[in-house]
Amino acid sequence: LITEQFRDVDIIRKAVDFFVSADIYGTAIWRMGWTHLERLRRFRKNVMGHVISLHENVVEFDGPDCQVTDILDFWPQAGKKEMRDMDYGFERYYADFDNLLDMNQGDYPLFSMEALAKLRESPIAADDEKSMFERWGYYRSYNEWQAKRAQEFSKPVEIVEMWGLVPSEFAPDGCRQRVITVANGKVVLRNDPTPFDNGKLPWIKYCPNPDPHFFHGIGKVQIGAPLQAASSRLVNQKLDAHDLFLGPMFVANSKMVSNTQNMSTKPGRVWMVDGPVNEAIQPLSINLAGMQPAMQEMGNLWRYIQLGTGMAEDTVMGMDTGGSDRQTLGEFRGRQEMAMTRLGLEAVLASVVIENKAEWFRDANRQYLSLPKQVRMLGDLGATDPITGLPLPPESGTVEAHELNHDFHCRAVGPMRMMTQMSMRQDSMTLMQLAGTNPALVQGVNWINLFKEVLTFFPGFDPKKLLVQQVPAINAVASQAGMSPEDLASIAANPAMAMNQPGMATPQEMAQ
């Protein structure tokens, strides 16, 4: 269910913006919530043999949702480093008035209708509108920014929301865990208890390089910016020296060279002096002795940037540029392990973010999901158990209320596997050789599933296409004996256990 909901909210595109924002600014914020959107649509329907055109409200979206919050539009509680320690937080965003009306549909309207009617008479102020246009111009194309400024019927609204604990004087019903929404700095659209039962703030934070004292982390751009500025300065000086070398200034004897207009080059020039310059004219020699030290210094700055970000190009991208000229395999693997350890920490932190996001979806489904909910199960995973190879029992593909009551704990396993494929290939081959030399492991290992796992580390090789899609023999025997494949594997590894099983074949017969 959560996998399908991730796809519905376009999670891949949003995740790219999220992690790029974290790398640039040091901190990224994900806003969580629930979206219910209905719009009037026209469709055709056959009524008693006649096709008629109808207009009805259609639910375009109903489920958990997420958006990447601009770091400049989020204000955390002062003095708090982690989101879980914050009592409250603020967020600013811009919306069109008509979109606010659409957001107010469904069984759980967001805003007060009286407040929306008042907001219609309180347009955004000129200063706030200017700020809105400037904010739009930061992360979007210039053409889109200009188009929004020229829209004749746009009704922009500045929204500032506060989520969390409020002082008691702002809680008329006694509930301090609230959400307060203010539009255009004038109209309070809502002052209600928080609509989510999990008691969490609706934001998820990610810092690939956390700061031990502050909420906002250290961006990778911030680490490399001073070094890149110094490197750019050296590059500019190098280009200036090349310009002087390719188009040098000339020193000429004014008594012997009368017209220099035809001799001038671009960007060079002719400089007239009194006295012989090799009897007529000669180029001005340029001292390029400083070019080689500049190149070495730029190389050092480039390595410093790699050390600061943990991205050594020879160990991560496969380029043979680092280390000594005659480096050993141990030297290369050592530097590779350092880079993988550095990136592994980021992958673990990213996994925690994905897990928190999935559990947010789980809690929202438990509270708001319309039941029964039908989900799609396509492909082999919807027909065959990937562990046992046995066919799954037929299911209706729906989620009922009792299935949402469980506290499912989500675990992200993809980032580490994607990052360490090369190392995992080598380790998996060593593991298969080790398992093949031990007689006890030969009988206890599910070789089909092990080989499937190994093939996942080789891009372009699909285990479903390369392996015979049949129930393994041990699973078929276990099914006939009324046992699980795991119990049968234990009996095969310990033949004495077979004596206590009536009608059980010997391990030799099982192998046959």
Side-chain angles (χ1 to χ4, degrees):
L1 172 64
I2 294 177
T3 299
E4 293 301 324
Q5 289 174 336
F6 273 10
R7 294 172 181 169
D8 290 341
V9 299
D10 196 9
I11 188 65
I12 298 298
R13 182 186 59 82
K14 293 180 181 179
V16 171
D17 294 339
F18 179 80
F19 289 112
V20 168
S21 177
D23 285 340
I24 295 176
Y25 302 106
T27 304
I29 305 296
W30 229 328
R31 166 69 181 269
M32 311 301 298
W34 187 277
T35 298
H36 181 91
L37 182 59
E38 294 183 11
R39 284 198 174 100
L40 190 65
R41 284 191 180 184
R42 183 177 66 179
F43 60 94
R44 295 183 297 175
K45 188 175 182 180
N46 192 326
V47 179
M48 300 181 65
H50 298 279
V51 178
I52 61 176
S53 179
L54 300 176
H55 293 78
E56 290 186 4
N57 280 332
V58 176
V59 178
E60 294 187 353
F61 190 93
D62 184 29
D65 200 357
C66 63
Q67 297 291 339
V68 180
T69 298
D70 186 350
I71 194 65
L72 298 179
D73 287 333
F74 179 77
W75 307 306
Q77 181 184 2
K80 300 296 184 180
K81 180 177 179 294
E82 298 297 336
M83 195 74 69
R84 62 177 177 271
D85 300 329
M86 293 167 46
D87 292 333
Y88 58 84
F90 293 86
E91 180 183 356
R92 175 181 62 180
Y93 62 92
Y94 298 93
D96 192 85
F97 180 78
D98 292 333
N99 292 337
L100 294 180
L101 296 178
D102 291 339
M103 294 166 59
N104 217 41
Q105 299 173 354
D107 298 332
Y108 305 95
L110 293 181
F111 312 120
S112 168
M113 295 304 299
E114 293 79 7
L116 287 176
K118 184 179 179 180
L119 178 62
R120 188 187 297 271
E121 303 173 358
S122 303
I124 190 171
D127 293 340
D128 295 332
E129 185 176 11
K130 178 181 178 182
S131 175
M132 173 191 63
F133 287 138
E134 291 175 351
R135 300 297 302 116
W136 271 343
Y138 270 105
Y139 301 109
R140 294 158 178 83
S141 67
Y142 185 76
N143 292 334
E144 181 181 359
W145 179 45
Q146 292 286 3
K148 289 184 179 295
R149 290 177 62 96
Q151 282 184 356
E152 181 178 358
F153 299 102
S154 63
K155 308 167 188 175
V157 179
E158 182 196 39
I159 304 293
V160 176
E161 287 188 346
M162 181 270 186
W163 291 76
L165 295 175
V166 301
S168 57
E169 53 266 28
F170 290 95
D173 55 0
C175 180
R176 296 182 56 215
Q177 191 76 22
R178 308 185 72 81
V179 51
I180 301 177
T181 303
V182 179
N184 293 339
K186 305 175 183 178
V187 181
V188 179
L189 293 183
R190 60 174 169 175
N191 179 9
D192 301 325
T194 179
F196 302 114
D197 294 342
N198 56 15
K200 302 176 182 177
L201 296 178
W203 300 289
I204 296 177
K205 168 195 171 186
Y206 170 62
C207 287
N209 300 300
D211 191 296
H213 304 291
F214 300 99
F215 176 85
H216 295 93
I218 305 171
K220 295 181 180 179
V221 174
Q222 181 180 354
I223 296 175
L227 300 173
Q228 183 62 48
S231 179
S232 299
R233 179 182 176 185
L234 292 175
V235 171
N236 291 333
Q237 293 177 346
K238 173 187 172 184
L239 294 177
D240 292 340
H242 276 296
D243 287 339
L244 292 174
F245 180 75
L246 297 176
M249 294 189 301
F250 286 91
V251 181
N253 189 337
S254 60
K255 297 180 180 179
M256 303 184 65
V257 179
S258 58
N259 186 4
T260 61
Q261 297 301 320
N262 296 331
M263 301 175 58
S264 178
T265 60
K266 299 295 182 180
R269 58 167 296 183
V270 177
W271 191 280
M272 305 301 296
V273 297
D274 295 334
V277 180
N278 240 1
E279 299 301 334
I281 185 173
Q282 73 174 15
L284 182 64
S285 61
I286 305 298
N287 185 4
L288 299 179
M291 292 289 292
Q292 188 64 27
M295 294 295 295
Q296 295 177 356
E297 191 62 30
M298 283 190 290
N300 292 333
L301 291 173
W302 177 239
R303 283 190 289 272
Y304 295 156
I305 294 176
Q306 295 184 40
L307 289 175
T309 58
M311 297 294 290
E313 56 186 351
D314 62 328
T315 59
V316 178
M317 294 180 283
M319 301 175 62
D320 187 13
T321 58
S324 60
D325 295 337
R326 299 175 60 88
Q327 62 177 330
T328 62
L329 177 60
E331 177 186 354
F332 176 79
R333 289 299 297 269
R335 291 187 294 110
Q336 187 181 50
E337 287 296 329
M338 288 191 295
M340 290 297 103
T341 301
R342 169 67 177 78
L343 295 179
L345 174 60
E346 288 191 30
V348 171
L349 294 176
S351 299
V352 173
V353 172
I354 299 301
E355 292 167 4
N356 292 338
K357 180 180 176 62
E359 293 181 354
W360 236 103
F361 275 39
R362 175 205 64 193
D363 295 339
N365 287 329
R366 183 182 303 170
Q367 183 177 358
Y368 292 114
L369 186 66
S370 300
L371 298 175
K373 178 70 173 180
Q374 187 174 9
V375 297
R376 299 183 296 268
M377 292 183 64
L378 304 178
D380 297 335
L381 294 180
T384 306
D385 190 320
I387 303 299
T388 64
L390 297 174
L392 292 173
E395 295 183 0
S396 59
T398 59
V399 178
E400 302 292 345
H402 66 278
E403 297 178 280
L404 297 178
N405 294 330
H406 304 286
D407 282 335
F408 296 104
H409 295 284
C410 306
R411 293 293 177 262
V413 297
M416 292 295 294
R417 175 171 295 188
M418 293 174 59
M419 185 187 65
T420 59
Q421 279 189 350
M422 182 178 298
S423 299
M424 293 298 292
R425 290 178 205 161
Q426 300 174 357
D427 296 341
S428 61
M429 299 302 294
T430 304
L431 176 63
M432 292 189 67
Q433 294 176 1
L434 177 63
T437 57
N438 191 325
L441 292 178
V442 170
Q443 297 181 1
V445 172
N446 189 330
W447 289 98
I448 298 296
N449 284 341
L450 177 60
F451 194 65
K452 285 182 181 179
E453 197 72 17
V454 172
L455 283 178
T456 59
F457 303 129
F458 293 85
F461 295 93
D462 189 356
K464 300 170 186 168
K465 297 179 180 178
L466 296 178
L467 298 178
V468 177
Q469 298 299 312
Q470 295 179 353
V471 179
I474 188 173
N475 295 333
V477 174
S479 177
Q480 295 175 2
M483 302 175 58
S484 66
E486 292 76 14
D487 294 339
L488 183 60
S490 300
I491 293 176
N494 188 3
M497 295 177 58
M499 302 301 179
N500 300 326
Q501 301 293 331
M504 176 62 65
T506 64
Q508 293 76 11
E509 294 174 347
M510 294 180 191
Q512 295 176 357

